[in-house]
Amino acid sequence: MTAEPRSAPRRRRTQEERSATTRRALLEATIDCLVEEGYVNLTTTKVAARAEVSRGAQVHHFPTRATLVIEAIQYLIGQVSQSLFNEIEQLPVGSDRADRALDLLWSTFRGRLFQAALQISVAGPGDPEIEDKLSVLNQVTADLIRGSVPLLFPEEASHPDFEDALYTALNTMTGLAMSQRVAKLSEAEVEGRWRRTKAQLLRLLEERD
């Protein structure tokens, strides 16, 4: 009988790799806590427990709640940005593009980035640790959306009145996403409202053709 070949020993992770894994776990846990419990109820103790990380490790990476929250949002912006631009590359060319592009924007507004940012925007202004960072976060989020627009709507974006139509669309999505959270609308109610809203937005965009 021939001996079975030995499997190669598993490579031990470097300190940098272990540190990056710990940071990522803490950031993901922070975002989950923000979305599910809100900024007011978020504590570093809860985040460490959810991330299955020791309090010492949490303090080492993120000494304060404010630092943890700001880093988590910036981390999420990076993730959403990469995902959004990857999705844009998959959009069809032609008459269906605007319809699909609006759905893609809507899914972004309903995602973790918007929900986490909403929690901070509502409660953050009263917290001196984070208040001065809010305008920067809001600007970065807005720049992400604006930067995607010429790629989402390549034909419409060059029209003189398109920007007005775009702001109407974005404000509408913002209000609808907020109403789901505040008014506790069901999934069916939200989707029904979105279908009606999207039809109106498509007509608005077509008027700019």
PDB file of all heavy atoms in Angstrom, residues 127-162:
ATOM      1  N   ASP A 127     -24.248  64.641  20.843  1.00  0.00           N
ATOM      2  CA  ASP A 127     -23.048  64.022  21.406  1.00  0.00           C
ATOM      3  C   ASP A 127     -21.828  64.806  20.942  1.00  0.00           C
ATOM      4  O   ASP A 127     -21.464  64.774  19.764  1.00  0.00           O
ATOM      5  CB  ASP A 127     -22.954  62.566  20.933  1.00  0.00           C
ATOM      6  CG  ASP A 127     -21.826  61.800  21.615  1.00  0.00           C
ATOM      7  OD1 ASP A 127     -20.873  62.451  22.078  1.00  0.00           O
ATOM      8  OD2 ASP A 127     -21.914  60.566  21.679  1.00  0.00           O
ATOM      9  N   PRO A 128     -21.161  65.526  21.842  1.00  0.00           N
ATOM     10  CA  PRO A 128     -20.009  66.341  21.428  1.00  0.00           C
ATOM     11  C   PRO A 128     -18.865  65.538  20.839  1.00  0.00           C
ATOM     12  O   PRO A 128     -18.060  66.068  20.070  1.00  0.00           O
ATOM     13  CB  PRO A 128     -19.590  67.032  22.738  1.00  0.00           C
ATOM     14  CG  PRO A 128     -20.142  66.176  23.834  1.00  0.00           C
ATOM     15  CD  PRO A 128     -21.420  65.612  23.288  1.00  0.00           C
ATOM     16  N   GLU A 129     -18.789  64.247  21.166  1.00  0.00           N
ATOM     17  CA  GLU A 129     -17.708  63.418  20.637  1.00  0.00           C
ATOM     18  C   GLU A 129     -17.844  63.174  19.146  1.00  0.00           C
ATOM     19  O   GLU A 129     -16.860  62.947  18.447  1.00  0.00           O
ATOM     20  CB  GLU A 129     -17.669  62.070  21.361  1.00  0.00           C
ATOM     21  CG  GLU A 129     -17.131  62.100  22.770  1.00  0.00           C
ATOM     22  CD  GLU A 129     -16.949  60.699  23.303  1.00  0.00           C
ATOM     23  OE1 GLU A 129     -17.953  60.002  23.501  1.00  0.00           O
ATOM     24  OE2 GLU A 129     -15.785  60.306  23.530  1.00  0.00           O
ATOM     25  N   ILE A 130     -19.057  63.222  18.661  1.00  0.00           N
ATOM     26  CA  ILE A 130     -19.288  62.836  17.270  1.00  0.00           C
ATOM     27  C   ILE A 130     -19.892  63.947  16.429  1.00  0.00           C
ATOM     28  O   ILE A 130     -19.896  63.879  15.203  1.00  0.00           O
ATOM     29  CB  ILE A 130     -20.197  61.581  17.235  1.00  0.00           C
ATOM     30  CG1 ILE A 130     -20.028  60.838  15.911  1.00  0.00           C
ATOM     31  CG2 ILE A 130     -21.657  61.938  17.478  1.00  0.00           C
ATOM     32  CD1 ILE A 130     -20.704  59.504  15.879  1.00  0.00           C
ATOM     33  N   GLU A 131     -20.373  64.989  17.072  1.00  0.00           N
ATOM     34  CA  GLU A 131     -21.100  66.036  16.355  1.00  0.00           C
ATOM     35  C   GLU A 131     -20.276  66.670  15.245  1.00  0.00           C
ATOM     36  O   GLU A 131     -20.772  66.910  14.142  1.00  0.00           O
ATOM     37  CB  GLU A 131     -21.556  67.110  17.344  1.00  0.00           C
ATOM     38  CG  GLU A 131     -22.520  68.122  16.744  1.00  0.00           C
ATOM     39  CD  GLU A 131     -23.178  68.982  17.807  1.00  0.00           C
ATOM     40  OE1 GLU A 131     -22.717  68.964  18.966  1.00  0.00           O
ATOM     41  OE2 GLU A 131     -24.159  69.663  17.484  1.00  0.00           O
ATOM     42  N   ASP A 132     -18.995  66.938  15.531  1.00  0.00           N
ATOM     43  CA  ASP A 132     -18.171  67.610  14.531  1.00  0.00           C
ATOM     44  C   ASP A 132     -17.817  66.700  13.356  1.00  0.00           C
ATOM     45  O   ASP A 132     -17.310  67.165  12.330  1.00  0.00           O
ATOM     46  CB  ASP A 132     -16.894  68.159  15.167  1.00  0.00           C
ATOM     47  CG  ASP A 132     -16.010  67.052  15.727  1.00  0.00           C
ATOM     48  OD1 ASP A 132     -16.562  66.000  16.085  1.00  0.00           O
ATOM     49  OD2 ASP A 132     -14.784  67.246  15.815  1.00  0.00           O
ATOM     50  N   LYS A 133     -18.067  65.396  13.481  1.00  0.00           N
ATOM     51  CA  LYS A 133     -17.772  64.453  12.401  1.00  0.00           C
ATOM     52  C   LYS A 133     -18.978  64.218  11.495  1.00  0.00           C
ATOM     53  O   LYS A 133     -18.830  63.674  10.397  1.00  0.00           O
ATOM     54  CB  LYS A 133     -17.338  63.107  12.979  1.00  0.00           C
ATOM     55  CG  LYS A 133     -16.161  63.164  13.939  1.00  0.00           C
ATOM     56  CD  LYS A 133     -14.883  63.509  13.225  1.00  0.00           C
ATOM     57  CE  LYS A 133     -13.695  63.425  14.172  1.00  0.00           C
ATOM     58  NZ  LYS A 133     -12.425  63.808  13.513  1.00  0.00           N
ATOM     59  N   LEU A 134     -20.163  64.626  11.938  1.00  0.00           N
ATOM     60  CA  LEU A 134     -21.379  64.311  11.191  1.00  0.00           C
ATOM     61  C   LEU A 134     -21.396  64.944   9.806  1.00  0.00           C
ATOM     62  O   LEU A 134     -21.762  64.300   8.824  1.00  0.00           O
ATOM     63  CB  LEU A 134     -22.613  64.770  11.978  1.00  0.00           C
ATOM     64  CG  LEU A 134     -23.138  63.802  13.025  1.00  0.00           C
ATOM     65  CD1 LEU A 134     -24.298  64.431  13.792  1.00  0.00           C
ATOM     66  CD2 LEU A 134     -23.571  62.491  12.389  1.00  0.00           C
ATOM     67  N   SER A 135     -21.014  66.209   9.719  1.00  0.00           N
ATOM     68  CA  SER A 135     -21.053  66.886   8.427  1.00  0.00           C
ATOM     69  C   SER A 135     -20.106  66.215   7.433  1.00  0.00           C
ATOM     70  O   SER A 135     -20.419  66.113   6.238  1.00  0.00           O
ATOM     71  CB  SER A 135     -20.696  68.365   8.582  1.00  0.00           C
ATOM     72  OG  SER A 135     -19.393  68.517   9.125  1.00  0.00           O
ATOM     73  N   VAL A 136     -18.955  65.741   7.926  1.00  0.00           N
ATOM     74  CA  VAL A 136     -18.003  65.060   7.053  1.00  0.00           C
ATOM     75  C   VAL A 136     -18.592  63.748   6.553  1.00  0.00           C
ATOM     76  O   VAL A 136     -18.529  63.426   5.359  1.00  0.00           O
ATOM     77  CB  VAL A 136     -16.673  64.800   7.792  1.00  0.00           C
ATOM     78  CG1 VAL A 136     -15.713  64.000   6.909  1.00  0.00           C
ATOM     79  CG2 VAL A 136     -16.045  66.113   8.221  1.00  0.00           C
ATOM     80  N   LEU A 137     -19.194  62.979   7.455  1.00  0.00           N
ATOM     81  CA  LEU A 137     -19.798  61.704   7.062  1.00  0.00           C
ATOM     82  C   LEU A 137     -20.929  61.915   6.070  1.00  0.00           C
ATOM     83  O   LEU A 137     -21.061  61.187   5.076  1.00  0.00           O
ATOM     84  CB  LEU A 137     -20.322  60.977   8.302  1.00  0.00           C
ATOM     85  CG  LEU A 137     -19.272  60.363   9.227  1.00  0.00           C
ATOM     86  CD1 LEU A 137     -19.943  59.766  10.452  1.00  0.00           C
ATOM     87  CD2 LEU A 137     -18.457  59.312   8.494  1.00  0.00           C
ATOM     88  N   ASN A 138     -21.767  62.920   6.329  1.00  0.00           N
ATOM     89  CA  ASN A 138     -22.877  63.205   5.418  1.00  0.00           C
ATOM     90  C   ASN A 138     -22.361  63.605   4.045  1.00  0.00           C
ATOM     91  O   ASN A 138     -22.937  63.216   3.019  1.00  0.00           O
ATOM     92  CB  ASN A 138     -23.763  64.306   6.000  1.00  0.00           C
ATOM     93  CG  ASN A 138     -24.542  63.844   7.214  1.00  0.00           C
ATOM     94  OD1 ASN A 138     -24.778  62.657   7.388  1.00  0.00           O
ATOM     95  ND2 ASN A 138     -24.912  64.773   8.076  1.00  0.00           N
ATOM     96  N   GLN A 139     -21.275  64.379   4.015  1.00  0.00           N
ATOM     97  CA  GLN A 139     -20.710  64.812   2.742  1.00  0.00           C
ATOM     98  C   GLN A 139     -20.133  63.630   1.969  1.00  0.00           C
ATOM     99  O   GLN A 139     -20.323  63.517   0.751  1.00  0.00           O
ATOM    100  CB  GLN A 139     -19.624  65.856   2.978  1.00  0.00           C
ATOM    101  CG  GLN A 139     -19.071  66.489   1.694  1.00  0.00           C
ATOM    102  CD  GLN A 139     -20.133  67.221   0.911  1.00  0.00           C
ATOM    103  OE1 GLN A 139     -20.850  68.058   1.465  1.00  0.00           O
ATOM    104  NE2 GLN A 139     -20.263  66.910  -0.366  1.00  0.00           N
ATOM    105  N   VAL A 140     -19.428  62.747   2.666  1.00  0.00           N
ATOM    106  CA  VAL A 140     -18.838  61.579   2.006  1.00  0.00           C
ATOM    107  C   VAL A 140     -19.935  60.685   1.427  1.00  0.00           C
ATOM    108  O   VAL A 140     -19.827  60.180   0.307  1.00  0.00           O
ATOM    109  CB  VAL A 140     -17.954  60.788   2.990  1.00  0.00           C
ATOM    110  CG1 VAL A 140     -17.537  59.454   2.387  1.00  0.00           C
ATOM    111  CG2 VAL A 140     -16.725  61.600   3.363  1.00  0.00           C
ATOM    112  N   THR A 141     -21.008  60.499   2.194  1.00  0.00           N
ATOM    113  CA  THR A 141     -22.123  59.680   1.715  1.00  0.00           C
ATOM    114  C   THR A 141     -22.768  60.302   0.493  1.00  0.00           C
ATOM    115  O   THR A 141     -23.080  59.621  -0.491  1.00  0.00           O
ATOM    116  CB  THR A 141     -23.170  59.507   2.834  1.00  0.00           C
ATOM    117  OG1 THR A 141     -22.545  58.973   3.997  1.00  0.00           O
ATOM    118  CG2 THR A 141     -24.279  58.564   2.389  1.00  0.00           C
ATOM    119  N   ALA A 142     -22.984  61.623   0.545  1.00  0.00           N
ATOM    120  CA  ALA A 142     -23.585  62.324  -0.594  1.00  0.00           C
ATOM    121  C   ALA A 142     -22.682  62.248  -1.822  1.00  0.00           C
ATOM    122  O   ALA A 142     -23.156  62.051  -2.954  1.00  0.00           O
ATOM    123  CB  ALA A 142     -23.856  63.780  -0.220  1.00  0.00           C
ATOM    124  N   ASP A 143     -21.363  62.395  -1.611  1.00  0.00           N
ATOM    125  CA  ASP A 143     -20.421  62.328  -2.730  1.00  0.00           C
ATOM    126  C   ASP A 143     -20.429  60.943  -3.380  1.00  0.00           C
ATOM    127  O   ASP A 143     -20.250  60.827  -4.604  1.00  0.00           O
ATOM    128  CB  ASP A 143     -19.001  62.660  -2.249  1.00  0.00           C
ATOM    129  CG  ASP A 143     -18.828  64.135  -1.929  1.00  0.00           C
ATOM    130  OD1 ASP A 143     -19.696  64.943  -2.329  1.00  0.00           O
ATOM    131  OD2 ASP A 143     -17.831  64.476  -1.258  1.00  0.00           O
ATOM    132  N   LEU A 144     -20.613  59.903  -2.567  1.00  0.00           N
ATOM    133  CA  LEU A 144     -20.680  58.547  -3.110  1.00  0.00           C
ATOM    134  C   LEU A 144     -21.851  58.422  -4.082  1.00  0.00           C
ATOM    135  O   LEU A 144     -21.704  57.893  -5.188  1.00  0.00           O
ATOM    136  CB  LEU A 144     -20.832  57.533  -1.970  1.00  0.00           C
ATOM    137  CG  LEU A 144     -21.204  56.098  -2.375  1.00  0.00           C
ATOM    138  CD1 LEU A 144     -20.119  55.492  -3.245  1.00  0.00           C
ATOM    139  CD2 LEU A 144     -21.432  55.247  -1.129  1.00  0.00           C
ATOM    140  N   ILE A 145     -23.011  58.925  -3.670  1.00  0.00           N
ATOM    141  CA  ILE A 145     -24.198  58.839  -4.526  1.00  0.00           C
ATOM    142  C   ILE A 145     -24.015  59.690  -5.778  1.00  0.00           C
ATOM    143  O   ILE A 145     -24.267  59.240  -6.908  1.00  0.00           O
ATOM    144  CB  ILE A 145     -25.450  59.291  -3.754  1.00  0.00           C
ATOM    145  CG1 ILE A 145     -25.696  58.377  -2.547  1.00  0.00           C
ATOM    146  CG2 ILE A 145     -26.666  59.292  -4.671  1.00  0.00           C
ATOM    147  CD1 ILE A 145     -25.955  56.933  -2.884  1.00  0.00           C
ATOM    148  N   ARG A 146     -23.564  60.934  -5.591  1.00  0.00           N
ATOM    149  CA  ARG A 146     -23.395  61.831  -6.744  1.00  0.00           C
ATOM    150  C   ARG A 146     -22.364  61.285  -7.725  1.00  0.00           C
ATOM    151  O   ARG A 146     -22.532  61.399  -8.946  1.00  0.00           O
ATOM    152  CB  ARG A 146     -22.967  63.224  -6.272  1.00  0.00           C
ATOM    153  CG  ARG A 146     -24.037  64.001  -5.527  1.00  0.00           C
ATOM    154  CD  ARG A 146     -23.662  65.470  -5.419  1.00  0.00           C
ATOM    155  NE  ARG A 146     -24.536  66.150  -4.468  1.00  0.00           N
ATOM    156  CZ  ARG A 146     -24.223  66.394  -3.203  1.00  0.00           C
ATOM    157  NH1 ARG A 146     -23.040  65.997  -2.737  1.00  0.00           N
ATOM    158  NH2 ARG A 146     -25.058  67.016  -2.399  1.00  0.00           N
ATOM    159  N   GLY A 147     -21.301  60.700  -7.192  1.00  0.00           N
ATOM    160  CA  GLY A 147     -20.272  60.173  -8.070  1.00  0.00           C
ATOM    161  C   GLY A 147     -20.736  59.010  -8.924  1.00  0.00           C
ATOM    162  O   GLY A 147     -20.170  58.750  -9.999  1.00  0.00           O
ATOM    163  N   SER A 148     -21.764  58.319  -8.459  1.00  0.00           N
ATOM    164  CA  SER A 148     -22.267  57.172  -9.215  1.00  0.00           C
ATOM    165  C   SER A 148     -23.266  57.573 -10.302  1.00  0.00           C
ATOM    166  O   SER A 148     -23.532  56.795 -11.216  1.00  0.00           O
ATOM    167  CB  SER A 148     -22.946  56.176  -8.265  1.00  0.00           C
ATOM    168  OG  SER A 148     -24.162  56.713  -7.755  1.00  0.00           O
ATOM    169  N   VAL A 149     -23.802  58.790 -10.214  1.00  0.00           N
ATOM    170  CA  VAL A 149     -24.899  59.197 -11.096  1.00  0.00           C
ATOM    171  C   VAL A 149     -24.530  59.186 -12.577  1.00  0.00           C
ATOM    172  O   VAL A 149     -25.286  58.640 -13.399  1.00  0.00           O
ATOM    173  CB  VAL A 149     -25.441  60.579 -10.668  1.00  0.00           C
ATOM    174  CG1 VAL A 149     -26.344  61.169 -11.744  1.00  0.00           C
ATOM    175  CG2 VAL A 149     -26.218  60.439  -9.369  1.00  0.00           C
ATOM    176  N   PRO A 150     -23.390  59.769 -12.997  1.00  0.00           N
ATOM    177  CA  PRO A 150     -23.078  59.732 -14.435  1.00  0.00           C
ATOM    178  C   PRO A 150     -22.944  58.321 -14.985  1.00  0.00           C
ATOM    179  O   PRO A 150     -23.161  58.094 -16.178  1.00  0.00           O
ATOM    180  CB  PRO A 150     -21.736  60.484 -14.517  1.00  0.00           C
ATOM    181  CG  PRO A 150     -21.699  61.339 -13.301  1.00  0.00           C
ATOM    182  CD  PRO A 150     -22.394  60.537 -12.239  1.00  0.00           C
ATOM    183  N   LEU A 151     -22.574  57.365 -14.120  1.00  0.00           N
ATOM    184  CA  LEU A 151     -22.458  55.971 -14.552  1.00  0.00           C
ATOM    185  C   LEU A 151     -23.815  55.282 -14.557  1.00  0.00           C
ATOM    186  O   LEU A 151     -24.081  54.424 -15.406  1.00  0.00           O
ATOM    187  CB  LEU A 151     -21.495  55.215 -13.638  1.00  0.00           C
ATOM    188  CG  LEU A 151     -20.070  55.781 -13.556  1.00  0.00           C
ATOM    189  CD1 LEU A 151     -19.256  55.010 -12.531  1.00  0.00           C
ATOM    190  CD2 LEU A 151     -19.391  55.737 -14.915  1.00  0.00           C
ATOM    191  N   LEU A 152     -24.661  55.665 -13.608  1.00  0.00           N
ATOM    192  CA  LEU A 152     -25.997  55.074 -13.550  1.00  0.00           C
ATOM    193  C   LEU A 152     -26.871  55.551 -14.700  1.00  0.00           C
ATOM    194  O   LEU A 152     -27.614  54.777 -15.305  1.00  0.00           O
ATOM    195  CB  LEU A 152     -26.664  55.437 -12.219  1.00  0.00           C
ATOM    196  CG  LEU A 152     -26.193  54.697 -10.976  1.00  0.00           C
ATOM    197  CD1 LEU A 152     -26.633  55.442  -9.720  1.00  0.00           C
ATOM    198  CD2 LEU A 152     -26.732  53.282 -10.940  1.00  0.00           C
ATOM    199  N   PHE A 153     -26.805  56.852 -14.978  1.00  0.00           N
ATOM    200  CA  PHE A 153     -27.678  57.465 -15.989  1.00  0.00           C
ATOM    201  C   PHE A 153     -26.820  58.192 -17.030  1.00  0.00           C
ATOM    202  O   PHE A 153     -26.840  59.422 -17.103  1.00  0.00           O
ATOM    203  CB  PHE A 153     -28.643  58.448 -15.326  1.00  0.00           C
ATOM    204  CG  PHE A 153     -29.443  57.868 -14.193  1.00  0.00           C
ATOM    205  CD1 PHE A 153     -29.052  58.059 -12.883  1.00  0.00           C
ATOM    206  CD2 PHE A 153     -30.590  57.132 -14.440  1.00  0.00           C
ATOM    207  CE1 PHE A 153     -29.788  57.528 -11.826  1.00  0.00           C
ATOM    208  CE2 PHE A 153     -31.338  56.589 -13.398  1.00  0.00           C
ATOM    209  CZ  PHE A 153     -30.928  56.794 -12.088  1.00  0.00           C
ATOM    210  N   PRO A 154     -26.057  57.467 -17.841  1.00  0.00           N
ATOM    211  CA  PRO A 154     -25.122  58.119 -18.768  1.00  0.00           C
ATOM    212  C   PRO A 154     -25.809  59.004 -19.814  1.00  0.00           C
ATOM    213  O   PRO A 154     -25.242  60.027 -20.220  1.00  0.00           O
ATOM    214  CB  PRO A 154     -24.395  56.945 -19.421  1.00  0.00           C
ATOM    215  CG  PRO A 154     -25.303  55.774 -19.236  1.00  0.00           C
ATOM    216  CD  PRO A 154     -26.011  56.006 -17.948  1.00  0.00           C
ATOM    217  N   GLU A 155     -26.995  58.626 -20.252  1.00  0.00           N
ATOM    218  CA  GLU A 155     -27.690  59.416 -21.268  1.00  0.00           C
ATOM    219  C   GLU A 155     -28.376  60.633 -20.656  1.00  0.00           C
ATOM    220  O   GLU A 155     -28.307  61.743 -21.176  1.00  0.00           O
ATOM    221  CB  GLU A 155     -28.720  58.555 -22.002  1.00  0.00           C
ATOM    222  CG  GLU A 155     -28.100  57.422 -22.801  1.00  0.00           C
ATOM    223  CD  GLU A 155     -29.154  56.618 -23.553  1.00  0.00           C
ATOM    224  OE1 GLU A 155     -30.325  57.035 -23.563  1.00  0.00           O
ATOM    225  OE2 GLU A 155     -28.796  55.578 -24.126  1.00  0.00           O
ATOM    226  N   GLU A 156     -29.032  60.435 -19.510  1.00  0.00           N
ATOM    227  CA  GLU A 156     -29.802  61.512 -18.896  1.00  0.00           C
ATOM    228  C   GLU A 156     -28.919  62.556 -18.208  1.00  0.00           C
ATOM    229  O   GLU A 156     -29.294  63.718 -18.097  1.00  0.00           O
ATOM    230  CB  GLU A 156     -30.783  60.942 -17.870  1.00  0.00           C
ATOM    231  CG  GLU A 156     -31.862  60.047 -18.455  1.00  0.00           C
ATOM    232  CD  GLU A 156     -31.437  58.585 -18.564  1.00  0.00           C
ATOM    233  OE1 GLU A 156     -30.218  58.322 -18.426  1.00  0.00           O
ATOM    234  OE2 GLU A 156     -32.310  57.731 -18.801  1.00  0.00           O
ATOM    235  N   ALA A 157     -27.746  62.140 -17.713  1.00  0.00           N
ATOM    236  CA  ALA A 157     -26.926  63.021 -16.870  1.00  0.00           C
ATOM    237  C   ALA A 157     -26.466  64.281 -17.584  1.00  0.00           C
ATOM    238  O   ALA A 157     -26.181  65.294 -16.930  1.00  0.00           O
ATOM    239  CB  ALA A 157     -25.720  62.255 -16.343  1.00  0.00           C
ATOM    240  N   SER A 158     -26.389  64.278 -18.913  1.00  0.00           N
ATOM    241  CA  SER A 158     -25.909  65.442 -19.651  1.00  0.00           C
ATOM    242  C   SER A 158     -26.993  66.487 -19.893  1.00  0.00           C
ATOM    243  O   SER A 158     -26.692  67.598 -20.329  1.00  0.00           O
ATOM    244  CB  SER A 158     -25.328  64.997 -21.001  1.00  0.00           C
ATOM    245  OG  SER A 158     -26.323  64.355 -21.789  1.00  0.00           O
ATOM    246  N   HIS A 159     -28.235  66.169 -19.593  1.00  0.00           N
ATOM    247  CA  HIS A 159     -29.322  67.112 -19.844  1.00  0.00           C
ATOM    248  C   HIS A 159     -29.326  68.214 -18.796  1.00  0.00           C
ATOM    249  O   HIS A 159     -29.074  67.963 -17.613  1.00  0.00           O
ATOM    250  CB  HIS A 159     -30.665  66.384 -19.851  1.00  0.00           C
ATOM    251  CG  HIS A 159     -30.773  65.369 -20.950  1.00  0.00           C
ATOM    252  ND1 HIS A 159     -31.662  64.329 -20.916  1.00  0.00           N
ATOM    253  CD2 HIS A 159     -30.092  65.222 -22.115  1.00  0.00           C
ATOM    254  CE1 HIS A 159     -31.535  63.587 -22.004  1.00  0.00           C
ATOM    255  NE2 HIS A 159     -30.588  64.116 -22.737  1.00  0.00           N
ATOM    256  N   PRO A 160     -29.631  69.450 -19.195  1.00  0.00           N
ATOM    257  CA  PRO A 160     -29.531  70.600 -18.284  1.00  0.00           C
ATOM    258  C   PRO A 160     -30.372  70.475 -17.020  1.00  0.00           C
ATOM    259  O   PRO A 160     -29.955  70.931 -15.961  1.00  0.00           O
ATOM    260  CB  PRO A 160     -30.013  71.771 -19.159  1.00  0.00           C
ATOM    261  CG  PRO A 160     -29.790  71.323 -20.569  1.00  0.00           C
ATOM    262  CD  PRO A 160     -30.000  69.849 -20.561  1.00  0.00           C
ATOM    263  N   ASP A 161     -31.573  69.909 -17.130  1.00  0.00           N
ATOM    264  CA  ASP A 161     -32.479  69.839 -15.982  1.00  0.00           C
ATOM    265  C   ASP A 161     -32.367  68.536 -15.200  1.00  0.00           C
ATOM    266  O   ASP A 161     -33.145  68.300 -14.273  1.00  0.00           O
ATOM    267  CB  ASP A 161     -33.933  70.018 -16.443  1.00  0.00           C
ATOM    268  CG  ASP A 161     -34.180  71.384 -17.046  1.00  0.00           C
ATOM    269  OD1 ASP A 161     -33.481  72.327 -16.630  1.00  0.00           O
ATOM    270  OD2 ASP A 161     -35.049  71.510 -17.916  1.00  0.00           O
ATOM    271  N   PHE A 162     -31.399  67.692 -15.583  1.00  0.00           N
ATOM    272  CA  PHE A 162     -31.335  66.385 -14.946  1.00  0.00           C
ATOM    273  C   PHE A 162     -31.037  66.482 -13.458  1.00  0.00           C
ATOM    274  O   PHE A 162     -31.565  65.714 -12.660  1.00  0.00           O
ATOM    275  CB  PHE A 162     -30.282  65.512 -15.624  1.00  0.00           C
ATOM    276  CG  PHE A 162     -30.089  64.182 -14.944  1.00  0.00           C
ATOM    277  CD1 PHE A 162     -31.041  63.183 -15.069  1.00  0.00           C
ATOM    278  CD2 PHE A 162     -28.974  63.939 -14.160  1.00  0.00           C
ATOM    279  CE1 PHE A 162     -30.888  61.961 -14.425  1.00  0.00           C
ATOM    280  CE2 PHE A 162     -28.805  62.721 -13.519  1.00  0.00           C
ATOM    281  CZ  PHE A 162     -29.760  61.733 -13.661  1.00  0.00           C
TER     282      PHE A 162
END
